[in-house]
Amino acid sequence: AGSLMTTKLSQPQSTLAKSLTSTSTNAPYFKAAESTEIPSYVIKCPSNGLCSRLPPDCMTCNTNYSCIYGKPATFDCRVKPHVHCVDENNHEQENFTINMTCQFCWQLATSDYVCTNSTSCMTVSCPRQRYNATCTVRDHIHCLGNRVFPKMLYCNWTGGYKWSTALALSITLGGFGADRFYLGQWREGLGKLFSFGGLGIWTLIDVLLIGVGYVGPADGSLYI
């Protein structure tokens, strides 16, 4: 009797376990919803514009690295998903060609890319200093290779000092150190002030040095 009772009780449990197992394997109950997230590059892609004028981030092209440098080249391209564009006849298309000059991105003219600036390097120095910049090609320019690349650039930032103002102060009020004060060189300015411009000799020297650009702002920036 005890064995029979155990068998009878185990049957519902077995049935329940089978039911749970069968339910847990049903895909419709646990299937994840498909992602409908729009890629970030779509923001850069004008809708229903000419395919040949799309930014490079909106297309995938078969680049031909064997083209002749400096010569015109044609590449076959395809728009990326979620990007819509048309041809010259206003017909939507996915495959198209673009014309460009055969050259790597780092070989482009300086007007075709934008680089980061440095405000820590000294520009009034010999030899002229360089700094490591990160450059990015403009959206409407097509080129071979990486569109973001490093480059060594000359320091070219300015703090707003005018060369004409510094020279005028050196000629008129240089004996009182006004030119040095204007350029942010306080110690030299005080020295000229209390020595009456080095009895005129320091004043004449500063006129020449500022005139040829040898003496510049104390922060190392370029004149405007």
Side-chain angles (χ1 to χ4, degrees), residues 150-171:
K151 197 162 188 176
M152 290 288 292
L153 298 178
Y154 283 112
C155 297
N156 60 354
W157 70 286
T158 177
Y161 296 95
K162 292 184 178 180
W163 172 81
S164 57
T165 302
L167 182 60
L169 289 174
S170 183
I171 295 173

Side-chain angles (χ1 to χ4, degrees), residues 164-208:
S164 57
T165 302
L167 182 60
L169 289 174
S170 183
I171 295 173
T172 58
L173 300 173
F176 301 100
D179 50 354
R180 294 283 184 164
F181 285 128
Y182 172 72
L183 296 174
Q185 301 176 7
W186 294 96
R187 289 179 296 180
E188 291 82 354
L190 291 173
K192 291 182 69 175
L193 176 62
F194 291 111
S195 65
F196 300 102
L199 299 178
I201 299 176
W202 194 349
T203 301
L204 293 176
I205 294 175
D206 270 358
V207 171
L208 294 175

Side-chain angles (χ1 to χ4, degrees), residues 101-174:
T101 302
C102 180
Q103 59 184 344
F104 286 94
C105 295
W106 60 268
Q107 296 173 319
L108 293 170
T110 55
S111 58
D112 293 335
Y113 54 83
V114 179
C115 299
T116 56
N117 293 322
S118 173
T119 58
S120 61
C121 57
M122 302 295 290
T123 57
V124 183
S125 61
C126 185
R128 191 175 174 188
Q129 289 187 354
R130 292 174 179 258
Y131 69 97
N132 292 317
T134 301
C135 302
T136 305
V137 180
R138 298 185 184 276
D139 286 341
H140 64 283
I141 302 296
H142 297 276
C143 55
L144 298 175
N146 295 327
R147 298 184 60 81
V148 179
F149 53 91
K151 197 162 188 176
M152 290 288 292
L153 298 178
Y154 283 112
C155 297
N156 60 354
W157 70 286
T158 177
Y161 296 95
K162 292 184 178 180
W163 172 81
S164 57
T165 302
L167 182 60
L169 289 174
S170 183
I171 295 173
T172 58
L173 300 173

Side-chain angles (χ1 to χ4, degrees), residues 5-127:
M5 183 177 297
T6 303
T7 303
K8 288 182 179 181
L9 289 174
S10 63
Q11 285 181 350
Q13 292 177 352
S14 175
T15 305
L16 179 60
K18 183 176 180 181
S19 174
L20 289 175
T21 305
S22 132
T23 304
S24 64
T25 56
N26 288 337
Y29 291 96
F30 297 95
K31 184 177 180 181
E34 295 183 359
S35 175
T36 58
E37 182 180 356
I38 299 177
S40 58
Y41 61 78
V42 176
I43 301 176
K44 300 181 180 179
C45 309
S47 180
N48 296 326
L50 287 176
C51 294
S52 57
R53 295 188 178 180
L54 285 174
D57 291 340
C58 306
M59 64 181 77
T60 302
C61 298
N62 296 324
T63 53
N64 180 15
Y65 289 92
S66 62
C67 59
I68 301 175
Y69 173 74
K71 299 293 184 180
T74 301
F75 296 112
D76 296 325
C77 301
R78 180 183 180 86
V79 295
K80 290 183 177 181
H82 303 285
V83 177
H84 303 280
C85 62
V86 297
D87 57 12
E88 289 76 6
N89 298 322
N90 205 32
H91 296 150
E92 186 170 355
Q93 63 178 174
E94 293 184 355
N95 300 301
F96 57 96
T97 60
I98 60 170
N99 299 316
M100 55 176 284
T101 302
C102 180
Q103 59 184 344
F104 286 94
C105 295
W106 60 268
Q107 296 173 319
L108 293 170
T110 55
S111 58
D112 293 335
Y113 54 83
V114 179
C115 299
T116 56
N117 293 322
S118 173
T119 58
S120 61
C121 57
M122 302 295 290
T123 57
V124 183
S125 61
C126 185

